[in-house]
Amino acid sequence: MRNIKKSRVLSAAIQHRIDDCIETGTYKGDTTLFLANSGACERVYTIELSKKFYEEAKQRFQNEIDDGNINAKKVVALYGDSGDVLRYFDDFKSMKGRNILYFLDGHYSYLDTARGKEDSPILRELDFIFDVHRKSNGVQVVLIDDAREFRGSRLREREGGGVTDQIIFYPELSYILDKLCEFDPTAFVDLEDDLFMAVTNTQYHVI
């Protein structure tokens, strides 16, 4: 994650007094450790679909703890499809009233990343978040990484040029925005530096 994007994520976490962070798409664990080390939240849950990346990241977090980084103890690493794990992991059922930052980056991006039921589980992730919001008076800050990729179906380009015949499908960003507006027309929405942000809670609505 680039420094400017890190600053935006950290700013959102501090501004909205975030209690917990939930990340989808652990990959190497860089963003996970950034959130844990930032001091902006009490716990960081991270979900990874690739067994390989999950095991490697889990070992990295343990190495951080062994090396004396107590912040790494905040990390809870989970394996599976984020659209499912969000629904069924018990901790997520008891967050009523807590301020949550969701960093959604669990998208299939070719190469060695894992591919689940969809190329991006974003719609199932958002369904869960909106459902939690209905039952909670806490702030829900939703950050969607790689916003430029949400443009429907397209052929995926290989590194170094050339195009595969593999079709990748992410929902259109405009469709995601429409769904958000249906759910909460008072939500604060922003798009900058390839990062889409929505804050859904009228009590903390930003003008």
Side-chain angles (χ1 to χ4, degrees):
M1 187 194 298
R2 290 188 299 163
N3 287 337
I4 189 169
K5 193 174 291 188
K6 286 181 179 178
S7 67
R8 294 199 71 223
V9 173
L10 184 57
S11 175
I14 294 172
Q15 178 184 357
H16 298 286
R17 301 176 184 176
I18 292 303
D19 295 310
D20 300 307
C21 295
I22 299 176
E23 173 193 32
T24 64
T26 310
Y27 193 46
K28 303 293 186 181
D30 293 342
T31 302
T32 318
L33 286 172
F34 165 72
L35 291 170
N37 290 327
S38 71
C41 56
E42 296 174 18
R43 185 157 294 183
V44 181
Y45 298 87
T46 184
I47 307 169
E48 175 56 52
L49 178 58
S50 164
K51 188 70 171 179
K52 174 178 177 288
F53 290 145
Y54 165 74
E55 295 291 355
E56 290 177 351
K58 196 174 177 182
Q59 185 60 57
R60 180 182 180 186
F61 304 146
Q62 185 58 55
N63 290 344
E64 289 278 334
I65 294 171
D66 294 343
D67 289 342
N69 181 2
I70 60 173
N71 288 321
K73 293 181 179 180
K74 298 178 182 178
V75 176
V76 179
L78 302 168
Y79 168 65
D81 185 307
S82 57
D84 296 330
V85 175
L86 285 170
R87 284 282 177 191
Y88 301 117
F89 185 62
D90 285 343
D91 280 23
F92 299 149
K93 299 174 184 178
S94 59
M95 290 185 165
K96 185 175 181 180
R98 294 180 71 77
N99 298 340
I100 311 297
L101 183 146
Y102 297 89
F103 188 81
L104 306 181
D105 193 24
H107 328 304
Y108 171 66
S109 54
Y110 194 53
L111 298 176
D112 51 357
T113 58
R115 194 174 198 176
K117 298 175 183 177
E118 307 98 354
D119 293 331
S120 172
I122 192 70
L123 296 180
R124 286 188 294 134
E125 292 171 347
L126 292 175
D127 280 345
F128 165 81
I129 293 167
F130 295 160
D131 188 45
V132 167
H133 173 73
R134 291 186 187 97
K135 303 170 184 175
S136 172
N137 59 359
V139 177
Q140 312 289 318
V141 178
V142 180
L143 299 172
I144 303 175
D145 199 16
D146 304 316
R148 72 187 184 284
E149 297 287 354
F150 288 85
R151 50 192 170 88
S153 62
R154 72 273 188 203
L155 295 175
R156 188 70 185 183
E157 296 181 2
R158 290 188 186 276
E159 288 188 349
V163 178
T164 73
D165 59 359
Q166 184 180 26
I167 295 178
I168 308 295
F169 178 81
Y170 293 178
E172 295 277 357
L173 191 60
S174 59
Y175 178 76
I176 292 173
L177 184 58
D178 287 345
K179 295 291 286 184
L180 173 65
C181 290
E182 278 178 35
F183 168 72
D184 186 355
T186 67
F188 169 73
V189 176
D190 192 19
L191 175 62
E192 186 178 348
D193 193 45
D194 206 24
L195 194 66
F196 177 88
M197 179 172 74
V199 184
T200 61
N201 189 304
T202 53
Q203 180 182 355
Y204 292 89
H205 179 49
V206 181
I207 302 297

